[in-house]
Amino acid sequence: MDASSQAFEIRLKTNAQEIEALLDVLLSDDMREDEIARPETLRAAMHYAVLNGGKRLRPFLVVESVLLLGGDKQAALRVGAALECVHCYSLVHDDLPAMDDDKLRRGKPTAHIAFDEATAILAGDSLLTYAFDIIADDETRLPEQSKLALILALARAAGLGGMAGGQALDLAAEKDVPNEQGIVTLQAMKTGALIRFACEAGAIIAGASAGDRKRLRAFGEKIGLAFQLADDLLDVTSDAATMGKATGKDTQRGKGTLVSFHGIDWAEAELRRHVEDAKTLLAVYGDAAATLAAAAHFVAARRS
């Protein structure tokens, strides 16, 4: 690993530690104003689902986008924590027997295995709701208009027209394989929407211009495409021990992916193209965007 890659890995790890420390507080047994109680089993399941490892890429993108544009890091950490709650809720629900029916997540038993199915469902519901609580709370020190913009953007990214809708399309794809454009749409919703939000959120938090917001949003879209292509490649080329979850499932279920349509060589070339396109979008910021550019490379080169 060269010096720049090592520096990036350290920065990613440091941000993950900051996010996890904040999430540990947010998911403690300390009640917030107007909460009546925090049922221990449910709270423990939420804590387990969120604080069970992971690189915390999405919060990292929020923080680095904010730092690029001169915004407040503490506000970015709280929005990043909210985003991680949404992401982890989606993993809990994706793993359920009615969905992907997985027993491992990040090398550990999935939430419905560690607890039970009903608790896992409620933990996911609660994490989704809590995300908007975190953004709206007075401790997130942002103008009200910025909070509203973040809540709207996150709701759109997570809901019917975003991640949840993408999951519905993914389930449908097990019975009726979509064409190539259908796969692109599915993946942009299921995986890309939250990554796009992570980058766009940085511009919202920083109070940046409409141009900056559009540019960071486009950057997020590009690395979202790269992330999914890398994921599809890993599903074909990696193993469960490395990934911490089952692999080869798309092939077993007959799901179409861009890798299955075009092959590994094409997918690897397309992955490199998305990274270069993402870096081109950041060129206007010069060296200040080096960390975000490195994040694009990281997404493409990851092995788990």
Side-chain angles (χ1 to χ4, degrees):
M1 184 183 295
D2 60 32
S4 60
S5 297
Q6 189 173 30
F8 174 82
E9 292 277 3
I10 291 170
R11 193 165 176 126
L12 180 66
K13 184 176 181 180
T14 299
N15 182 82
Q17 290 169 341
E18 291 180 291
I19 285 290
E20 287 170 1
L22 176 55
L23 286 165
D24 190 45
V25 172
L26 290 167
L27 294 168
S28 72
D29 56 9
D30 293 335
M31 289 195 300
R32 301 299 193 239
E33 184 179 358
D34 288 333
E35 289 184 339
I36 298 170
R38 288 193 162 194
E40 179 53 27
T41 300
L42 177 57
R43 186 206 64 80
M46 293 167 68
H47 191 279
Y48 178 86
V50 173
L51 290 161
N52 66 343
K55 296 179 177 66
R56 314 298 177 188
L57 175 65
R58 291 157 188 79
F60 179 78
L61 292 171
V62 176
V63 171
E64 291 299 332
S65 297
V66 165
L67 293 178
L68 172 66
L69 298 172
D72 180 76
K73 182 180 178 180
Q74 293 308 308
L77 285 168
R78 287 186 61 85
V79 174
L83 176 55
E84 194 68 355
C85 285
V86 174
H87 173 56
C88 292
Y89 124 74
S90 76
L91 301 182
V92 171
H93 281 194
D94 281 358
D95 290 337
L96 289 167
M99 303 280 272
D100 287 349
D101 194 16
D102 276 314
K103 293 178 173 57
L104 279 181
R105 172 68 63 180
R106 295 168 179 164
K108 299 176 183 177
T110 48
H112 69 277
I113 298 296
F115 291 85
D116 58 68
E117 191 172 343
T119 300
I121 292 169
L122 290 171
D125 293 343
S126 299
L127 286 169
L128 174 60
T129 307
Y130 199 23
F132 297 102
D133 180 319
I134 294 166
I135 294 173
D137 193 271
D138 289 343
E139 291 185 33
T140 302
R141 301 190 184 284
L142 287 171
E144 296 303 313
Q145 284 301 116
S146 297
K147 290 183 179 182
L148 285 172
L150 287 165
I151 287 169
L152 178 59
L154 182 54
R156 295 275 170 84
L160 171 64
M163 182 185 66
Q167 178 64 27
L169 293 177
D170 192 48
L171 290 170
E174 293 183 17
K175 300 175 182 176
D176 185 12
V177 177
N179 60 23
E180 184 172 352
Q181 184 54 52
I183 292 171
V184 171
T185 299
L186 181 164
Q187 294 180 342
M189 295 169 69
K190 182 182 177 182
T191 302
L194 288 191
I195 293 176
R196 182 191 70 193
F197 168 81
C199 299
E200 184 179 7
I204 298 171
I205 294 165
S209 68
D212 283 323
R213 181 171 174 178
K214 182 178 180 180
R215 191 174 295 110
L216 268 293
R217 177 186 172 96
F219 171 77
E221 288 173 347
K222 283 295 178 183
I223 63 171
L225 291 168
F227 187 98
Q228 185 60 55
L229 260 181
D231 204 53
D232 289 344
L233 282 164
L234 287 169
D235 192 62
V236 173
T237 62
S238 191
D239 54 56
T242 302
M243 293 291 288
K245 62 180 182 179
T247 57
K249 291 179 62 181
D250 289 340
T251 301
Q252 293 168 15
R253 294 184 176 187
K255 284 185 182 179
T257 67
L258 294 181
V259 177
S260 68
F261 266 75
H262 295 290
I264 291 174
D265 289 345
W266 176 92
E268 289 176 342
E270 191 73 356
L271 187 55
R272 291 191 293 271
R273 185 179 71 81
H274 287 318
V275 171
E276 291 306 311
D277 287 348
K279 288 168 60 181
T280 298
L281 286 163
L282 299 176
V284 66
Y285 302 112
D287 290 343
T291 301
L292 282 178
H297 281 289
F298 170 80
V299 163
R302 67 197 179 90
R303 292 293 175 265
S304 63

